Structures are given as C-alpha cells and as structure tokens.
Amino acid sequence: MANVVVVGSQWGDEGKGKIVDWLSERASVVVRFQGGHNAGHTLVIDGKVYKLHILPSGIVRKGTMSVIGNGVVLDPWNLLMEIDNLRSQGVEITPDNLKVAENAPLILPLHANLDQAREEALGKAKIGTTGRGIGPAYEDKVARRAIRAGDLADAELIQAKVEKMLFHHNALLRGFGQPELDGQSIVDKLLELAPKLLPYIDTTWKVLDEAKRAGKRILFEGAQGTLLDIDHGTYPYVTSSNVVASQAASGSGMGPGAIDFVLGITKAYTTRVGAGPFPTELFDAVGAGIADRGREVGTTTGRPRRCGWFDAVLVRQAVKVNGINGIALTKLDVLDGMDELKVCVGYHVNGKELDYLPASTKDQENAEPIYETMEGWSETTFGARSWADLPATAVKYIRRIEELIEAPVALLSTSPERDDTILVRDPFAD
C-alpha cells in the first residue's frame, strides 16, 4: 500500500487540513514531520469545526494513530491545551492514538519571548513570524542545547540542560536590555508538566517502521508551504524548518523509500500571511473580494491574508522541488462569478524574462508578473462532487493550470466540507 506525503505548494494556508482529514479516513497513521504550533489547520466535519495547530489532522478520526515526529518543535503546554480543547469537543485522545517522538525538541516560554523581542527590535524590517518561539527553538536544536521530549523523564538532566541553555539565552536577553531568566522556575514548570506529557512519548521511528512492515498506510502531514521553506522559500521571509516533501523522511525517522506519492495542496489563487515578496498580490477591489469570499484570515494568527492571482511559476517550482506527483486544488469556488481570471506565467526581472522565481530577495521584490487572461464563469462550483457538476470554463481553467505547473490534479476540493471533494487519482493506490 502507498504512503503519501502532503505538502503545501504555495505560502501555506492552501487547505491542507481538509485534504489530510479526507485522506486520513483511508490511512492508519498520520504523521506531522516539521514545524510547530505556528501552523493552523481548520477541519469541518458534519458541520463541526475543529482548529488544530500541533496535533496531526488524523486525531479527529477514530482508529487512526497520530504521530508528532522528531522534525517538529513542540510547545508542551500548547499541546496539552489543544488536547483538552479537542476532548471538550468529544474527540478521544489517549497514548494509544497519539505518539510524540522522544527526540522532538521542546519550545519553552523563553523561546517565544526571544522571538517577540527580535521582531520588535527589527521594526519595519521584521520577518512577520507568529512570535511563538519556533525559530529560536530550532536554533537551540541545531546548536545542540535543546531540551527534548524524552528528557522530561530525567529531572537531573533537565536541570543541567536548562543551565546550559540559559548561559546562551541570558546573554541574548542582556543584549536586548531584558531581565535575565531564573533557571529554577523553568525546571519547576517542566517537571510539573512531565507526568502529563510522558505517557504520550515513544520511540516513534520504531512505531512507524512497525506500521510500514505491517502494510499500514501512512500519511505524512506537512505544515506551512514550500515558499516558506528555509532553503527553497522566499528567504529570509520564511519559516525555520524545511517543509518540502523530503523532510518527511528525516522529520519522521523513516527513509525516503517510505514515500510513494507526493500530493501538493494548491489554492486556485494565491495568498500569503506576513511580510515578504508576493509578485501577483492584488491591492484593488478584486483582491478584497477574493479575501472576503475566501474568508482569508490566518487560523493561527488571526491576521488577514494577502491575496493575488494564481502564480503558475511558483507552483511549478514547488512541483519540481518537492517531486509532486499530483495536486489537490482547493477553493475553486472562491473564483465563482468573476468575469475574467489572470494566471501568472512568467516574470520580468530587471529587464529579463524568467520562468522561475530567483533566489535573490531584491530580484524577488522586483519581479513583475506576466499574465495570461482567461474567461471566468458565472455558475457555482461550490459543493460539486463530479466533473459533470463543473462549468466548462472552470474545467478549462483547471486544465490550463495543469499544463502550466506540469502536474495533474489528483483531487479537487469545492467547499470546506470533507465530502465535497472530486477524486481524480487516488494517491494511496500508487
């Protein structure tokens, strides 16, 4: 049976939550392999809304195991709060259906404080982070001073690691003119939560290997989007981890051979939260209309999303970088009723015509989109469950996108409801 990786092919917020939930009904295991609680997934199931930030989307589905992999940076307090919130909505969460990697680094309150202090110090040049400590936590991981989930079982080790961490962080805080942190209070907080979190902690690479050997379907769930990848995104306006499909292997402890199909979630237009270049961004009534109809507000931040026309250049680039086998096209219905649509097919950059987004921040900011104009449609696509339900011009728009990005549509989502999905190619059948 095939194992599937789900990645965002734009700047995140493409609708991964619904697609992962739709796929998770067919999977035995759902794995989060990178990022932290800066991600936001909204699921709508039978009219009931679930908002997830760190828990894998499969957690709401009975009989599905959810795994938080080693590639994730974990805020343990946020995780426990999210578990309590979902339990209040009737979702059963136990150590049997939720596993946390013992080698997942922890996000501490000091990480969020440092994140926010840095953004404030940058002023107008700020990156636009969520301020939740994701970046500083990854920094501590790479610098080999992170406290990891499995460390919570050893009070003596926690004490030593906190002292080592504060040697670095207190020096930074002095530089920002901030008061230094008391190590003992951090140790006490960690030891207080340890009994609540330890039951979920496991050797997850082994759990996943056993699932694979048993022939179970595994779904790897990414957060954010390719253009926020630390290497392949619009640097420095990116997240602090690799979000591309290859990270599913290292962020879960499974080899690349475990990946059979890469599904790129792709919005029928383009959105972005936070600062950074956005060649097709709209500043007019058309952009405002897309934002209003698409309810474009960040699940995690509550910030309004910037909206623009579909950028086929960026998505094609994401297809190549991820090795995407097929896309799940979402929010097509938001374009209903528009007389004409535009698709970016290239850029003018400093007098040159390019078919890719260059790595230079300055060149990205200077990129002027080259548009192809297409006819819109007046009929509704909302809730369509077959190609026959779609207007001919909507189908034409989809087919042109497939040509431009050089990848087929495998799934088409026509509303937030999980059953309003047209299956073209089953990722699990490969």
Side-chain angles (χ1 to χ4, degrees):
M1 292 185 180
N3 297 325
V4 178
V5 178
V6 172
V7 294
S9 67
Q10 295 155 310
W11 275 292
D13 305 310
E14 301 97 346
K16 290 184 291 296
K18 173 202 164 165
I19 300 300
V20 171
D21 172 64
W22 192 88
L23 291 168
S24 68
E25 188 175 41
R26 310 168 60 116
S28 300
V29 185
V30 180
V31 189
R32 265 289 302 273
F33 59 83
Q34 52 76 220
H37 63 304
N38 54 339
H41 291 162
T42 301
L43 309 180
V44 182
I45 304 172
D46 297 328
K48 201 167 186 177
V49 178
Y50 302 93
K51 291 187 181 293
L52 308 178
H53 298 280
I54 191 65
L55 287 168
S57 298
I59 198 69
V60 300
R61 193 148 305 288
K62 285 186 178 180
T64 302
M65 180 188 293
S66 290
V67 175
I68 296 175
N70 57 275
V72 172
V73 283
L74 179 68
D75 182 324
W77 295 275
N78 182 273
L79 173 63
L80 293 172
M81 181 175 66
E82 195 167 314
I83 289 172
D84 287 342
N85 288 342
L86 285 182
R87 280 177 175 160
S88 71
Q89 291 185 274
V91 178
E92 184 180 351
I93 303 175
T94 71
D96 291 326
N97 69 345
L98 175 63
K99 307 286 185 183
V100 176
E102 61 186 350
N103 50 341
L106 299 184
I107 300 174
L108 307 183
L110 62 86
H111 292 125
N113 292 340
L114 178 58
D115 203 353
Q116 293 159 21
R118 280 178 174 168
E119 283 286 271
E120 187 178 335
L122 287 169
K124 291 182 179 179
K126 65 182 180 181
I127 302 298
T129 75
T130 59
R132 299 196 171 200
I134 310 300
Y138 273 117
E139 289 175 36
D140 279 348
K141 172 185 177 178
V142 174
R144 300 178 293 276
R145 56 176 169 259
I147 295 169
R148 307 202 291 184
D151 296 340
L152 293 174
D154 189 332
E156 196 173 306
L157 180 61
I158 289 287
Q159 186 84 43
K161 283 200 165 189
V162 166
E163 288 177 11
K164 181 180 179 182
M165 183 180 283
L166 288 187
F167 179 78
H168 170 79
H169 280 271
N170 278 336
L172 287 176
L173 290 171
R174 286 195 296 273
F176 281 110
Q178 302 279 350
E180 295 186 22
L181 297 170
D182 172 37
Q184 191 56 51
S185 66
I186 296 172
V187 171
D188 291 343
K189 288 177 182 176
L190 287 170
L191 294 180
E192 181 185 0
L193 74 82
K196 301 173 186 175
L197 190 63
L198 283 170
Y200 298 101
I201 295 171
D202 210 329
T203 309
T204 53
W205 67 264
K206 194 170 186 298
V207 171
L208 292 171
D209 181 64
E210 289 168 356
K212 179 189 173 188
R213 288 157 62 91
K216 294 182 178 179
R217 287 172 170 166
I218 302 172
L219 184 61
F220 300 88
E221 175 184 14
Q224 289 92 32
T226 300
L227 296 168
L228 293 174
D229 184 273
I230 188 68
D231 288 310
H232 302 287
T234 48
Y235 189 91
Y237 302 97
V238 293
T239 193
S240 299
S241 64
N242 286 113
V243 308
V244 292
S246 54
Q247 175 63 18
S250 57
S252 66
M254 301 194 78
I259 299 170
D260 300 300
F261 191 98
V262 180
L263 181 68
I265 315 302
T266 308
K267 199 176 281 186
Y269 48 98
T270 311
T271 62
R272 175 166 201 170
V273 171
F278 185 170
T280 66
E281 184 172 8
L282 293 167
F283 300 95
D284 56 12
V286 175
I290 290 173
D292 181 58
R293 293 191 301 276
R295 299 179 183 178
E296 294 297 351
V297 177
T299 302
T300 297
T301 62
R303 292 182 291 185
R305 296 177 186 138
R306 301 154 63 190
C307 296
W309 293 119
F310 185 84
D311 193 329
V313 181
L314 290 182
V315 176
R316 182 171 61 244
Q317 201 159 316
V319 166
K320 306 302 182 185
V321 169
N322 286 285
I324 288 173
N325 302 104
I327 67 166
L329 191 65
T330 66
K331 290 202 164 186
L332 182 70
D333 57 287
V334 174
L335 303 180
D336 291 353
M338 299 184 71
D339 294 331
E340 67 174 29
L341 304 169
K342 292 183 180 181
V343 177
C344 177
V345 296
Y347 305 120
H348 286 302
V349 183
N350 302 325
K352 296 180 181 179
E353 188 172 316
L354 299 179
D355 63 354
Y356 65 95
L357 187 69
S360 163
T361 302
K362 196 168 184 179
D363 287 347
Q364 290 174 358
E365 291 172 347
N366 292 332
E368 294 290 334
I370 300 170
Y371 284 121
E372 183 176 297
T373 301
M374 299 186 65
E375 182 184 358
W377 54 89
S378 57
E379 307 94 322
T380 183
T381 63
F382 186 86
R385 297 187 180 183
S386 73
W387 285 104
D389 296 333
L390 298 174
T393 44
V395 174
K396 187 176 180 181
Y397 180 74
I398 296 167
R399 294 304 184 208
R400 183 57 180 147
I401 283 175
E402 289 180 315
E403 291 174 358
L404 290 169
I405 68 173
E406 300 177 16
V409 170
L411 292 165
L412 181 65
S413 169
T414 57
S415 92
E417 289 288 346
R418 67 182 307 277
D419 291 330
D420 291 339
T421 305
I422 300 171
L423 176 64
V424 182
R425 178 183 177 188
D426 185 354
F428 280 122
D430 283 54

